[in-house]
Amino acid sequence: MNRTLRHSPLIALGFVGLALLPACAQGGGTTDKAEVEKIVEEYILANPEIIEKALIALTEKDRQAQASAAKAAISDNAGALYNNSTDYFVGDADAPVTVVEFFDYRCGYCKRSAEWTANLPKTYDGNVRVVFKEYPIFGGISETAALAALASGRQGKYIDMHLALMALKSNDDLTEKKIDELAMQLGIDVQRMRSDMKSDGVKKQLADMQALGRKLNVGGTPGYFVGDQAIEGANLPKIDEAIRAEIAG
């Protein structure tokens, strides 16, 4: 953001300069660089709103380019994103709208929106299914927790473990010991969970989610996908808007 603002006056000056050059050259005369720069500077000083207009235009163009790129990536990876048979989800498997979330168990925004996200099927009267994609961008214990959640799924306890891990208020609480304690409280066979965490199947499941996130340019968490839209961060109103649009068709 700062870099854009720092260079934007130069961009705006350039635009104005290009607009003024034809006028300066009329009548067969010539105008040197210094004179053009002076004309441009005086014009900008007299009309400062032109910088704001240029910035708005550039920002909108960049936003449209990002949205277009996101739609193309979603289209290219739609099967893996919305219809991967190994993914865990809540809601009706045949729900007309699928919401996908990429998340990290040490992400504060992920924690704060976890219950809201899990309740979307109920909120929308069974019209929404939520698919969970482990995306431990912070590495370390985040990756361990992701593997534990996926391994818990082998015992039918994925959602329970997912919500339990998200419910930890402090990242300092997320430890190897705490993961095992949560598993025991949920009736999960800890020894089997730990074994499955090391299995090729669970490791591949996580690796595939991470690879998909990179293909979709998920740069942070949470990252939501609804239809052909990629929604960065826990922008709950925008997610609601996207869901309503999908339901309306």
Side-chain angles (χ1 to χ4, degrees):
M1 179 63 73
N2 289 335
R3 182 174 60 187
T4 301
L5 290 174
R6 187 167 59 247
H7 292 295
S8 58
L10 297 177
I11 295 171
L13 286 171
F15 287 158
V16 177
L18 288 172
L20 291 176
L21 278 175
C24 293
Q26 288 179 357
T30 59
T31 305
D32 62 24
K33 181 180 178 182
E35 187 174 348
V36 170
E37 289 179 348
K38 182 179 180 181
I39 292 171
V40 171
E41 182 179 359
E42 290 176 350
Y43 184 86
I44 291 293
L45 291 174
N47 303 274
E49 70 277 3
I50 196 169
I51 295 179
E52 182 180 359
K53 290 179 180 179
L55 282 173
I56 291 173
L58 288 171
T59 300
E60 178 61 20
K61 184 177 180 180
D62 184 56
R63 187 193 67 76
Q64 291 179 356
Q66 290 179 356
S68 178
K71 287 182 179 180
I74 291 170
S75 178
D76 291 343
N77 298 280
L81 180 62
Y82 291 116
N83 299 302
N84 189 327
S85 62
T86 65
D87 286 343
Y88 295 106
F89 64 89
V90 291
D92 191 336
D94 297 322
V97 178
T98 296
V99 175
V100 177
E101 181 195 14
F102 286 79
F103 57 86
D104 185 301
Y105 289 115
R106 284 195 285 171
C107 163
Y109 289 106
C110 298
K111 289 177 179 294
R112 288 192 282 276
S113 59
E115 187 174 348
W116 180 89
T117 302
N119 282 331
L120 283 173
K122 182 178 179 181
T123 301
Y124 284 93
D125 298 322
N127 287 305
V128 172
R129 176 179 71 120
V130 179
V131 173
F132 300 96
K133 300 280 192 182
E134 303 283 343
Y135 202 57
I137 59 174
F138 295 119
I141 195 65
S142 288
E143 186 164 328
T144 301
L147 289 169
L150 293 174
S152 297
R154 299 294 177 96
Q155 299 182 48
K157 295 285 188 176
Y158 176 82
I159 300 303
D160 302 275
M161 180 59 105
H162 169 77
L163 292 175
L165 289 167
M166 283 297 185
L168 295 176
K169 294 182 179 180
S170 170
N171 286 335
D172 292 335
D173 295 335
L174 185 56
T175 63
E176 297 271 1
K177 181 180 179 181
K178 190 62 178 180
I179 290 172
D180 289 348
E181 288 178 356
L182 290 175
M184 285 189 288
Q185 291 169 12
L186 295 170
I188 295 169
D189 183 328
V190 176
Q191 186 174 354
R192 178 183 165 190
M193 179 192 75
R194 285 290 175 178
S195 177
D196 285 337
M197 287 169 65
K198 299 175 183 177
S199 69
D200 291 339
V202 169
K203 287 181 178 180
K204 183 179 185 302
Q205 194 174 6
L206 177 58
D208 287 346
M209 290 175 175
Q210 292 173 305
L212 177 61
R214 290 190 291 270
K215 288 179 182 178
L216 294 168
N217 298 312
V218 179
T221 55
Y224 289 88
F225 290 83
V226 184
D228 63 357
Q229 291 190 57
I231 302 170
E232 296 181 356
N235 190 338
L236 309 190
K238 189 171 183 178
I239 297 167
D240 273 326
E241 181 182 346
I243 291 172
R244 287 194 294 269
E246 287 291 309
I247 292 175

